[in-house]
């Protein structure tokens, strides 16, 4: 049976303040929990309605469906909720392609971008300090385990881009047509805020502006969703890599 203190701790982790104070975050669902158990993330505890995970007995509690609903952030909880420790950030990779995010605020978008980085083999994702927390419960859920394979780092994005010696690409409504542009295997790809795009301060650090051309005749759509744009841009960069090989 769940204690009041256990419930209080778990619910506090739905807020960034609680995650920071406790250095813990939540993973929900069989797939998500299984992915994190296979990773280097350190398990604190699993609460589950079915004893299906291979973990030490002192790190698992069998609970009822009603109890799972009390502690879950989901409308339809799926079997398990686990608490993991937030690790210390790793230094970002300097080789290959790096994705950088400027003020991405929607948890679903960040989670999808992390999955895309995993899919396209991007090892490092750097985020400005004004981007949503990657350990936000909704972000973790949207990554479907990809957070275990992508190194996410939060930093002063302006200073970081100033330090880069490779090309810095950015997505804009006006720029070089990505389909007609030479694209390297090394560099930083910056994507901006859902409503405002890349900020003026970060735009000054970009030396290659890219655009995804619009093919519709009316051209009434103002912009692409940032996660959709990420998929197109990464696909094009990686496609060129395959052609070069």
């Amino acid at each position: 049976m769940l204690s009041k203190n256990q419930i209080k701790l778990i619910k506090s982790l739905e807020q960034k303040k609680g995650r920071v104070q406790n250095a813990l975050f939540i993973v929900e669902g069989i797939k998500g929990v299984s992915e994190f158990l296979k990773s280097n993330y350190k398990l604190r505890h699993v609460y589950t309605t079915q004893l299906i995970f291979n973990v030490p007995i002192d790190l698992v509690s069998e609970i009822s469906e009603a109890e799972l609903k009390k502690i879950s952030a989901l409308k339809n909880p799926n079997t398990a909720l686990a608490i993991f420790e937030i690790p210390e950030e790793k230094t970002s990779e300097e080789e290959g392609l790096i994705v950088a995010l400027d003020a991405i605020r929607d948890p679903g978008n960040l989670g999808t971008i992390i999955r895309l980085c995993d899919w396209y083999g991007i090892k490092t994702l750097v985020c400005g300090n004004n981007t949503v927390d990657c350990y936000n419960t909704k972000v973790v859920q949207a990554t479907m385990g990809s957070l275990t394979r992508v190194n996410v780092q939060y930093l002063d994005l302006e200073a970081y881009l100033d330090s880069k010696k490779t090309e810095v690409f950015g997505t804009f409504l006006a720029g070089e047509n990505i389909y007609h542009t030479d694209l390297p295997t090394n560099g930083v790809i910056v994507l901006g805020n859902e409503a405002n795009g890349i900020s003026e301060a970060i735009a000054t650090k970009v030396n290659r502006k890219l655009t995804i051309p619009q093919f519709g005749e009316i051209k009434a759509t103002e912009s692409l969703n940032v996660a959709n744009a990420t998929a197109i841009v990464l696909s094009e960069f990686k496609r060129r890599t395959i052609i070069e090989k």
Side-chain angles (χ1 to χ4, degrees):
M1 184 174 178
L2 287 170
S3 69
K4 289 183 178 180
N5 285 339
Q6 286 173 317
I7 295 172
K8 183 178 179 181
L9 171 63
I10 294 166
K11 298 305 288 183
S12 75
L13 301 181
E14 292 180 12
Q15 304 299 320
K16 185 175 181 179
K17 181 180 178 181
R19 294 192 294 273
V20 172
Q21 286 180 344
N22 296 284
L24 299 170
F25 70 101
I26 293 168
V27 180
E28 294 207 53
I30 294 174
K31 177 174 172 55
V33 172
S34 297
E35 289 280 358
F36 276 88
L37 287 175
K38 291 187 295 185
S39 74
N40 292 325
Y41 279 84
K42 187 175 180 180
L43 175 69
R44 180 63 64 88
H45 207 84
V46 178
Y47 300 91
T48 178
T49 59
Q50 301 175 33
L51 297 176
I52 56 177
F53 302 103
N54 184 22
V55 297
I57 192 66
D58 59 322
L59 297 182
V60 61
S61 295
E62 187 172 15
I63 60 175
S64 67
E65 292 280 358
E67 288 177 312
L68 182 60
K69 286 183 179 180
K70 280 185 180 180
I71 58 176
S72 175
L74 303 176
K75 289 183 179 179
N76 298 301
N78 179 14
T79 307
L81 179 151
I83 299 174
F84 288 87
E85 296 183 7
I86 296 176
E88 291 186 10
E89 283 190 355
K90 300 176 184 176
T91 304
S92 63
E93 295 266 352
E94 294 302 317
E95 294 296 320
L97 290 174
I98 296 170
V99 172
L101 302 181
D102 179 22
I104 299 302
R105 302 292 172 78
D106 183 83
N109 282 336
L110 178 56
T112 301
I113 290 170
I114 292 171
R115 286 189 72 187
L116 287 166
C117 286
D118 186 21
W119 183 266
Y120 285 105
I122 305 298
K123 296 180 180 179
T124 298
L125 174 65
V126 295
C127 301
N129 291 318
N130 50 5
T131 288
V132 63
D133 178 22
C134 68
Y135 294 109
N136 175 296
T137 304
K138 292 180 180 178
V139 175
V140 175
Q141 190 70 19
T143 71
M144 296 294 287
S146 287
L147 183 58
T148 65
R149 294 179 290 273
V150 178
N151 176 26
V152 182
Q153 186 177 7
Y154 286 79
L155 39 67
D156 181 328
L157 194 53
E158 286 186 61
Y160 172 78
L161 295 176
D162 276 335
S163 72
K164 297 302 293 179
K165 295 179 181 179
T166 55
E167 286 186 294
V168 177
F169 295 84
T171 54
F172 295 84
L173 292 177
E176 300 175 60
N177 184 329
I178 192 170
Y179 301 123
H180 298 159
T181 304
D182 290 331
L183 302 174
T185 56
N186 290 298
V188 181
I189 305 167
V190 183
L191 295 116
N193 175 264
E194 291 89 345
N196 304 309
I198 296 172
S199 64
E200 290 184 14
I202 298 301
T204 63
K205 313 300 179 184
V206 174
N207 48 47
R208 296 285 299 278
K209 293 184 177 182
L210 299 175
T211 190
I212 299 167
Q214 191 171 12
F215 293 96
E217 291 183 9
I218 299 176
K219 294 181 172 56
T221 304
E222 292 182 358
S223 63
L224 280 175
N225 169 274
V226 65
N228 291 337
T230 302
I232 294 168
V233 170
L234 291 183
S235 179
E236 192 63 16
F237 267 88
K238 290 297 185 177
R239 185 179 72 84
R240 303 298 181 84
T241 301
I242 293 170
I243 291 174
E244 287 178 8
K245 289 181 178 179

